[in-house]
Amino acid sequence: MLVHSALSIAGSDSSGGAGIQADIKTMSALGIYSCTVITAITAQSTSNVDHILPLGAQVIKKQIRSVLSDIPINAIKIGMVYNNEIITTVSDVLNQSKIPIVLDPIISAGTGARLLQKEFLKDFKSKLVPICDVITPNIHEAETLSGIKIKTEKDIRKTALKIQELGAKNVIVKGGHFRNEHEVIIDIILDEHGKFTVFKNPRMKIVETHGSGCNFSAAVTSFMAMKYPVVKACFLANKYVHKSIIKTVKIGKGIPVNNPISTMYEESCRYQVIQELEKAVEILVNMKNFVDLIPETQSNLVYAIPNAKGFEDVAGVNGRIVKAGNKSVPTSGIKFGASKHVASSILEYMKINQMVRSALNIRNDKTILNKCNRLFKVSDYERNLEPKAIREREGRSISWGVKMALSKNPDADIIYHSGDVGKEPMIIIFGQSPQDVVNKVTKILDRRNFE
Ligand code: PXL
């Protein structure tokens, strides 16, 4: 597999949401091998920057030289530079470089502290802006760099033109802090040919996030490392950050942080869930006598991703596992959101125990239930005790029942009910994985367990 590499030259953020830490996460999530040059160490929480230690010229220069003399870097990002010494060093070392440079003009942290000292703005403009291929200011940074106050969308364009005059080839002004009457965020790019491109995204109901600026510039750098043209790289970075902002987490006491790896992690969980479930369904339907366990309303085997919140996070057989003569067959493939009933039971179980993520419903008769009682921890609920209000709400019965049964035995492997008027009695087998559930089915069907 072709590996692209990028280098982030930035400050360390001990809270993990911004700076070098954000860059490593974003680049890694996008498949980029990330190298780092640390310019400053910040001691910070999600509420405050408590201390800043800028590093000296020599160690910064040496870090850059070590990386560039060895690894074929495809794109470079420059983040927090803090003072004149750092600005000059980075500029001197990269001056003749042919590698595309993305400059994130970081002036202040989201929590307020200055990350570029005021007296060095002049050096920043004259030494770093001219060597970059793309600069990624937000509204405040665009105002500071251009000296133009932004009141209208036209003003944003004016700041972009002014910043380009300073020597930046391409400018993208991020409009997250620009309020307009429409609830959309507009990001404006001025490219090297003088053409403007506008991206629009719906505004999300999030106050402020820590690290989204870093994630954006690191994503632009990643896509440029993959050789996308600048406007396309910005477009893809924009989509990526929009998606990851949805996953913002309130991890500390201060402002919520961006968590760019979470999207990738969730996607990989979904893939794993489908793989494991497909394998388990195959084993299940080929199991001799499994057909005898299928109820009138048919079976489904489901598997949820970690932290599942709704049906869309639970995979199951699209349709059911049905009786076809003396065989059992899945009516279709595996799909997220395919099951409602068995999915409700696992979602309810996961409220008590996140480790239990798979479930299968089978027929409830005396013989099967006796076997379950001998082999497993069993709990039950009585459908006829279900409050009328819940009974009347389609799909709520199972959640209510599982909750009742778990209140009696919080680590039951099996939960059953004995039916009610028009409701077939049912057993649900729970497990940590579909393989775990299938192993329980094997035990139920194994005669040797009952001789
Ligand atoms: O989000 C800008 C930023 C960049 N780099 C470092 C930071 C911050 C914000 O706090 O701490 C090191």
Side-chain angles (χ1 to χ4, degrees):
M1 194 164 132
L2 179 64
V3 177
H4 296 291
S5 306
L7 168 63
S8 164
I9 302 175
S12 164
D13 167 10
S14 55
S15 78
I20 283 280
Q21 287 78 359
D23 294 348
I24 296 173
K25 292 175 199 177
T26 296
M27 290 173 179
S28 306
L30 291 169
I32 299 294
Y33 182 86
S34 56
C35 302
T36 58
V37 165
I38 298 184
T39 56
I41 298 172
T42 71
Q44 64 178 302
S45 62
T46 56
S47 314
N48 264 318
V49 177
D50 300 316
H51 188 76
I52 296 175
L53 172 69
L55 298 187
Q58 199 191 34
V59 71
I60 293 173
K61 201 182 295 175
K62 287 199 168 178
Q63 290 178 82
I64 302 177
R65 293 242 162 95
S66 294
V67 174
L68 294 186
S69 66
D70 181 31
I71 297 166
I73 295 294
N74 302 106
I76 297 174
K77 166 185 160 167
I78 304 172
M80 174 183 176
V81 282
Y82 197 63
N83 64 23
N84 188 25
E85 188 176 342
I86 300 173
I87 291 169
T88 309
T89 306
V90 173
S91 171
D92 285 350
V93 184
L94 297 183
N95 213 341
Q96 300 302 319
S97 164
K98 298 268 185 298
I99 305 168
I101 296 175
V102 177
L103 178 61
D104 191 348
I106 291 157
I107 294 171
S108 300
T111 49
R114 269 201 95 92
L115 300 178
L116 172 66
Q117 296 195 305
K118 211 173 198 154
E119 61 268 37
F120 302 126
L121 189 64
K122 200 163 80 14
D123 297 299
F124 185 91
K125 292 206 278 194
S126 66
K127 292 181 178 164
L128 285 181
V129 177
I131 66 164
C132 76
D133 293 85
V134 191
I135 187 166
T136 63
N138 62 26
I139 292 289
H140 307 310
E141 292 156 351
E143 286 182 333
T144 307
L145 290 169
S146 67
I148 299 168
K149 194 102 195 103
I150 294 175
K151 291 210 180 65
T152 63
E153 194 177 320
K154 203 163 158 204
D155 295 334
I156 301 179
R157 291 172 190 248
K158 278 192 206 158
T159 63
L161 284 162
K162 190 87 186 180
I163 295 166
Q164 199 174 51
E165 275 172 25
L166 297 174
K169 270 202 196 119
N170 301 271
V171 183
I172 172 159
V173 183
K174 299 169 294 178
H177 296 105
F178 175 66
R179 286 274 167 190
N180 51 11
E181 67 275 23
H182 319 290
E183 280 300 281
V184 288
I185 294 180
I186 41 174
D187 299 321
I188 296 182
I189 301 190
L190 171 60
D191 70 21
E192 60 187 306
H193 311 293
K195 184 170 172 268
F196 282 102
T197 306
V198 180
F199 300 146
K200 291 187 176 169
N201 280 298
R203 186 174 288 282
M204 284 177 281
K205 300 218 169 349
I206 290 168
V207 195
E208 176 74 52
T209 63
H210 178 61
S212 51
C214 295
N215 294 147
F216 177 76
S217 51
V220 174
T221 312
S222 301
F223 290 114
M224 287 185 63
M226 294 175 217
K227 311 267 187 292
Y228 282 99
V230 172
V231 177
K232 181 83 182 181
C234 290
F235 173 78
L236 293 171
N238 189 280
K239 287 263 163 287
Y240 173 76
V241 171
H242 188 78
K243 236 166 89 176
S244 88
I245 284 182
I246 300 170
K247 301 281 170 194
T248 296
V249 283
K250 180 137 172 64
I251 198 95
K253 298 191 187 85
I255 60 177
V257 295
N258 241 238
N259 195 12
I261 292 276
S262 64
T263 320
M264 184 184 87
Y265 176 66
E266 189 183 310
E267 277 162 19
S268 83
C269 286
R270 284 179 185 274
Y271 179 70
Q272 231 174 323
V273 157
I274 292 206
Q275 294 272 305
E276 282 184 45
L277 194 53
E278 272 175 354
K279 225 195 267 173
V281 168
E282 167 112 10
I283 296 171
L284 196 64
V285 296
N286 286 310
M287 205 181 270
K288 196 165 163 265
N289 301 335
F290 173 65
V291 69
D292 298 337
L293 300 185
I294 297 181
E296 292 304 317
T297 49
Q298 319 289 5
S299 283
N300 209 337
L301 176 60
V302 303
Y303 192 23
I305 59 167
N307 298 313
K309 296 283 180 289
F311 295 134
E312 285 309 313
D313 299 332
V314 184
V317 174
N318 193 17
R320 304 276 164 97
I321 301 171
V322 302
K323 245 191 269 191
N326 60 356
K327 281 197 162 140
S328 55
V329 284
T331 54
S332 181
I334 304 294
K335 202 177 148 193
F336 278 95
S339 159
K340 294 285 178 287
H341 284 82
V342 191
S344 298
S345 72
I346 200 64
L347 287 167
E348 194 61 37
Y349 205 119
M350 287 176 78
K351 288 184 191 164
I352 307 286
N353 184 349
Q354 282 280 330
M355 298 295 286
V356 175
R357 288 165 35 209
S358 184
L360 167 76
N361 66 315
I362 59 168
R363 204 154 63 80
N364 179 1
D365 72 15
K366 233 187 193 144
T367 326
I368 300 171
L369 192 56
N370 278 342
K371 289 179 176 178
C372 290
N373 271 315
R374 284 171 60 184
L375 292 165
F376 306 112
K377 285 173 268 179
V378 175
S379 190
D380 71 330
Y381 62 97
E382 287 181 49
R383 282 198 74 127
N384 54 11
L385 294 184
E386 185 184 352
K388 193 160 167 272
I390 290 176
R391 190 184 298 241
E392 282 167 0
R393 282 184 51 203
E394 174 66 20
R396 290 297 302 149
S397 292
I398 295 193
S399 312
W400 170 84
V402 169
K403 193 171 166 188
M404 289 293 290
L406 289 177
S407 70
K408 289 198 264 181
N409 183 352
D411 52 12
D413 302 291
I414 304 271
I415 293 176
Y416 74 92
H417 72 78
S418 304
D420 196 2
V421 182
K423 296 285 177 195
E424 186 184 10
M426 199 68 68
I427 292 174
I428 301 179
I429 308 173
F430 293 91
Q432 298 197 353
S433 65
Q435 185 59 55
D436 187 17
V437 171
V438 165
N439 292 345
K440 287 174 185 169
V441 174
T442 310
K443 282 190 184 162
I444 295 169
L445 291 174
D446 190 342
R447 285 186 188 186
R448 286 168 307 176
N449 285 329
F450 307 100
E451 275 162 5

